[in-house]
Amino acid sequence: MIERALWNRRGALAALGFGAGALALAGCRGGGEKVLRVGSQKGGTKALVLASGVLEGAPYRVEWSEFPAAQHLLEALGSDAVDIGLIGDAPFLFAYQTGKPLKAVAARVSHPRPAGILSILVPGASPVRKPADLKGRKIVTGRGSIGHFLALKVFENAGIKPGEAELIFMTPSDAAAALRSGAVDAWSTWGPYVPTGQAAGDRILADGSDLFDACSFDVVHENVLRDKPDLLVDFLAREARAMEWRRSHVADYAKVLAKETGLPLPIAQATAERSLVVDGPVTPELVARQQAILDTFVRAGALEAKRPVADGYVLTSQLPKT
């Protein structure tokens, strides 16, 4: 896989004693070609940017790596295998508190959160009819994911105390198989996995649109702010234009999304319709709201708060000027 090859290459360089400068040069070709290494989750940044054509004329090359979920992308960011990736607010905070050298540099927001893009799914014939019925059940999701956060919020609102429902952590593909086989009772998931599950006969038990707004962040390894500020600022502007383009080109985006991910066109269309977000500034007020997300993880015993939330964000007013 692309991401594994990148990790192996960079790990080998580090083992030979090359420092950060040599690792940065390893991403360049042609004696100084500028390269921005962009990580994309399934159905995410890559499909949107390619569909919109916003990279035309960019004074650098984008090197894409794709990942099945935020956790895998965050691992690549934390190990300096990619430069930037779009991550949900909850998984970013979870990873940041584990000590990874990351910074959130741009916000992508949707108010209110569209329905059917972050949901807890159960099989169509499941006896689980309301969130409180999850007590004593097995729920699968990704550790530290936005699905993990959704499950914790649903538990809190339903009066389910920590330990009264079993959370099982798996990759999306394994989670889907576990739900199909009956090994688990519910799946807390996001993005294209929701309409895919619905097409297979699952129903939505609880939806994140009822609980909190959508907010994702472009996250970078700290080195990018020092080594590639010009590429960073340019890419963020192009990505923002791509998000604006998508609002009036949903069908065009869906076609590229289907091609890039292998999703059936109807699933890609449903995903495109449910994932309309816009560029938003990173402000002190937005950062302050992230504390509530961290507090949810901490109350559930899923995480310890070891770093001040505000230290993980670069305000829009503080972005490098090039």
Side-chain angles (χ1 to χ4, degrees):
M1 295 177 65
I2 293 175
E3 58 268 28
R4 182 171 296 173
L6 282 170
W7 291 336
N8 289 344
R9 181 183 67 184
R10 299 178 71 80
L13 284 169
L16 289 172
F18 291 93
L23 291 176
L25 289 173
C28 298
R29 298 176 184 172
E33 177 188 11
K34 292 184 177 181
V35 177
L36 188 68
R37 303 163 304 161
V38 182
S40 176
Q41 297 182 60
K42 182 178 180 180
T45 308
K46 182 181 179 184
L48 174 61
V49 168
L50 293 180
S52 62
V54 296
L55 284 181
E56 183 177 351
Y60 51 89
R61 178 174 58 84
V62 168
E63 183 176 270
W64 294 103
S65 298
E66 294 196 87
F67 303 87
Q71 179 185 2
H72 307 84
L73 175 49
L74 283 161
E75 289 173 356
L77 283 163
S79 61
D80 198 21
V82 296
D83 295 322
I84 185 171
L86 189 62
I87 305 289
D89 44 12
F92 167 67
L93 270 174
F94 197 96
Y96 184 72
Q97 289 300 325
T98 65
K100 288 182 170 58
L102 305 173
K103 294 288 186 181
V105 296
R108 310 309 187 188
V109 300
S110 178
H111 179 74
R113 180 186 294 275
I117 201 68
L118 173 63
S119 307
I120 295 181
L121 299 175
V122 295
S126 171
V128 176
R129 310 303 302 182
K130 59 185 184 297
D133 294 339
L134 292 172
K135 185 175 181 179
R137 305 280 183 170
K138 296 179 179 179
I139 300 90
V140 66
T141 191
R143 181 174 176 81
S145 69
I146 190 67
H148 188 178
F149 178 67
L150 173 64
L152 296 180
K153 289 297 294 183
V154 169
F155 292 166
E156 280 192 344
N157 290 349
I160 300 174
K161 297 179 175 60
E164 291 185 336
E166 183 180 357
L167 279 174
I168 299 172
F169 301 118
M170 295 183 180
T171 63
S173 59
D174 289 340
L179 191 66
R180 295 279 80 74
S181 70
V184 299
D185 300 293
W187 180 18
S188 189
T189 191
W190 58 88
Y193 304 113
V194 177
T196 299
Q198 289 180 290
D202 299 332
R203 57 182 166 82
I204 293 177
L205 176 73
D207 194 87
S209 63
D210 300 328
L211 298 177
F212 44 88
D213 292 342
C215 185
S216 296
F217 292 93
D218 277 296
V219 176
V220 301
H221 189 283
E222 290 178 349
N223 290 346
V224 173
L225 293 165
R226 180 194 65 207
D227 299 336
K228 301 182 180 181
D230 53 339
L231 276 63
L232 169 63
V233 172
D234 183 86
F235 181 81
L236 291 177
R238 292 174 189 270
E239 184 186 52
R241 293 202 300 271
M243 291 179 174
E244 186 61 34
W245 171 90
R246 178 171 55 184
R247 299 180 70 83
S248 56
H249 295 82
V250 173
D252 294 330
Y253 169 50
K255 291 176 183 177
V256 175
L257 181 61
K259 180 180 178 181
E260 288 293 317
T261 62
L263 290 169
L265 185 57
I267 302 298
Q269 180 75 26
T271 302
E273 291 170 352
R274 299 177 187 184
S275 56
L276 297 177
V277 298
V278 297
D279 177 44
V282 181
T283 62
E285 293 75 21
L286 179 61
V287 173
R289 291 201 295 271
Q290 305 310 299
Q291 184 68 49
I293 297 174
L294 177 60
D295 292 344
T296 299
F297 280 122
V298 172
R299 283 195 301 271
L303 191 66
E304 291 184 29
K306 297 180 178 180
R307 307 168 82 181
V309 167
D311 290 354
Y313 300 83
V314 177
L315 302 182
T316 298
S317 61
Q318 298 172 335
L319 273 176
K321 302 296 189 295
T322 60

